[in-house]
Amino acid sequence: MQTPILAGNWKMNKTPAEAVAFFEAFCAVHPARRDRSLWFFPPAISFAAARDSVRDRPDILLGVQNVHWERAGAFTGETSAVMAAAAGARLALVGHSERRHVFGETDAETGRKAAAAIAAQLLPILCVGETLEQRRAGTLEDVLVRQLDAGLAALAGDPTATLVLAYEPVWAIGTGVTATPADASEAHGLLRDRLTRRFGSASVAVPILYGGSVSPDNAGALLAARHVDGLLVGGASLDPGGFARIAAAAAAPD
Ligand code: PGA
């Protein structure tokens, strides 16, 4: 098992001052430890404040929640991967379900964003996941494979050293309904199989995170589930004490 990754996606929450206050409180209760990686995705406007707050914490990496695939230009409201990297980002979420379902982002656009992130030396976290209708229709594997393959289509060569996946069932995001550890294992296993079929044994290097209503109470069981390499946490990452409990969740051997 790799070092578990505990990631907080703040979505459209926290002003710069609130980001600073979060890290003051979080760092006070969660000293750096070598046996896990902590990632945070603040909103772009609070990125610099977050970056300055974690200067002395090399165990904490920061990313952006979205990037545009072009380097620069007439794309009002967008941030390029190159700009995010220049500002100190190491990571970028791509294809989060809110980007896909609220903002209409397509599989093809998601792939271009992943490619742009890699080109800018950011580690893309490619998010995939099925809706409740798709799950009920028995198309879980089809949906995950389609989203994964579309994301990979834009990437040149073997991306296994430069990619992270996140499985986030749409029905579990922000709903309080969590996938069971068995649900997470099943979906992660499908993704793992697909990666292995495409890239062979090198694909074990690609971590697969679970996201969707993770809380301090269920984090340990989800992290212990087979094929789960880390957690991508939305709502429960906003509270420093709660996220510190998630960050301390023990991982059982795989
Ligand atoms: P949630 O969000 O933990 O609030 O369900 C997870 C995510 O969207 O990354």
Side-chain angles (χ1 to χ4, degrees):
M1 165 121 192
Q2 343 192 353
T3 305
I5 297 159
L6 289 314
N9 170 17
W10 286 355
K11 309 192 181 188
M12 198 172 73
N13 294 291
K14 296 203 188 289
T15 63
E18 288 167 346
V20 171
F22 174 93
F23 282 115
E24 271 172 18
F26 178 78
C27 293
V29 291
H30 185 89
R33 26 191 305 184
R34 284 172 192 277
D35 60 348
R36 58 212 54 215
S37 303
L38 301 182
W39 297 353
F40 288 91
F41 298 87
I45 201 78
S46 300
F47 185 89
R51 178 200 60 207
D52 294 346
S53 298
V54 299
R55 262 193 212 296
D56 299 331
R57 288 292 299 256
D59 59 314
I60 297 178
L61 299 185
L62 298 181
V64 289
Q65 300 170 11
N66 182 33
V67 289
H68 195 275
W69 53 84
E70 296 290 347
R71 295 177 64 87
F75 300 100
T76 300
E78 295 289 323
T79 302
S80 76
V82 173
M83 290 170 175
R90 305 276 298 277
L91 317 151
L93 295 179
V94 296
H96 186 276
S97 80
E98 284 144 24
R99 299 303 316 169
R100 294 177 189 267
H101 295 285
V102 181
F103 298 101
E105 195 170 298
T106 65
D107 284 340
E109 288 168 340
T110 294
R112 294 180 78 181
K113 291 177 180 209
I118 292 173
Q121 317 265 307
L122 299 176
L123 188 61
I125 293 85
L126 174 63
C127 304
V128 298
E130 82 290 3
T131 63
L132 193 54
E133 295 69 39
Q134 290 166 330
R135 172 167 275 260
R136 287 192 174 140
T139 57
L140 170 67
E141 181 166 7
D142 293 347
V143 171
L144 296 185
V145 167
R146 188 198 77 226
Q147 292 178 344
L148 175 58
D149 284 356
L152 293 171
L155 309 184
D158 177 347
T160 50
T162 52
L163 184 68
V164 175
L165 297 184
Y167 168 63
E168 297 205 305
V170 179
W171 47 271
I173 295 180
T175 59
V177 181
T178 320
T180 63
D183 290 334
S185 284
E186 180 197 8
H188 285 222
L190 294 171
L191 292 166
R192 182 63 71 203
D193 284 351
R194 185 68 182 173
L195 285 173
T196 306
R197 219 168 299 148
R198 292 198 51 164
F199 304 112
S201 57
S203 63
V204 297
V206 179
I208 308 178
L209 314 184
Y210 168 78
S213 295
V214 174
S215 72
D217 294 331
N218 62 25
L222 286 163
L223 200 52
R226 188 164 159 73
H227 302 305
V228 174
D229 303 310
L231 302 172
L232 180 54
V233 186
S237 72
L238 297 173
D239 171 57
F243 193 71
R245 280 177 63 202
I246 293 172
D254 203 355

